[in-house]
Amino acid sequence: VDVHVWEPSGAQATSTILWINMPVFIPWILQRRVFDAFATSLNGQFATNLFVLTHGAPYVPQAGCQLQNFQSDLLKVIDDLPLAEPLIFVDSSFGVGTALLWSLRQRLKGALVVNPAMFFAQEHVDSPAHKRFTADVLGKADMFRKRDEVCMMEQFCTWVYGDSNILES
């Protein structure tokens, strides 16, 4: 897990946002500029410390990886951070960090959960369906890495509308 920190310049922080960001489809390198802009905007209006925990590459749970162990390790990282409390918790981890809400509840001012998904039993992780899903996710991540915009739009339209031909209309 990588930790990225943005602090207000010239002012004491009055609040803290802890953002758990485990990118599945979009690698961190493509998200970094968005977080830079978000932090700049935040600190233009509010003096806020922003802590983002992420993976450098798309996160795909590995066979044999226990969710509880991963969450326990995340909590250790969080406990070691100089977080002012109460803090605002944002979970954009496709469900990997959602359960941390319960462990952090006494330390929270508020929470926002974005895209809670991808909780899989070990039986599913070992299944052919999960192997196809993992290959699809890694393929999409590769498209983003290569910035293959046409292919990404076709995939998106197929996913949302069921038809990539909508691009021609």
Side-chain angles (χ1 to χ4, degrees), residues 80-93:
D80 288 342
L81 294 173
L83 301 172
E85 297 178 11
L87 57 97
I88 298 165
F89 180 84
V90 178
D91 172 34
S92 179
S93 66

Side-chain angles (χ1 to χ4, degrees), residues 19-69:
W19 194 307
I20 308 297
N21 181 56
M22 300 295 158
V24 174
F25 300 110
I26 305 172
W28 172 249
I29 195 166
L30 296 179
Q31 295 184 38
R32 175 66 191 240
R33 289 175 38 199
V34 173
F35 278 93
D36 287 339
F38 176 66
T40 300
S41 175
L42 261 181
N43 288 320
Q45 300 176 37
F46 314 99
T48 305
N49 286 332
L50 174 62
F51 291 80
V52 178
L53 276 60
T54 190
H55 277 276
Y59 174 76
V60 178
Q62 301 298 312
C65 176
Q66 297 295 318
L67 181 60
Q68 293 84 358
N69 293 344

Side-chain angles (χ1 to χ4, degrees), residues 103-120:
S103 298
L104 295 170
R105 69 188 180 281
Q106 300 298 322
R107 300 168 63 183
L108 299 179
K109 179 189 292 187
L112 172 64
V113 177
V114 182
N115 239 341
M118 297 192 48
F119 285 103
F120 299 125

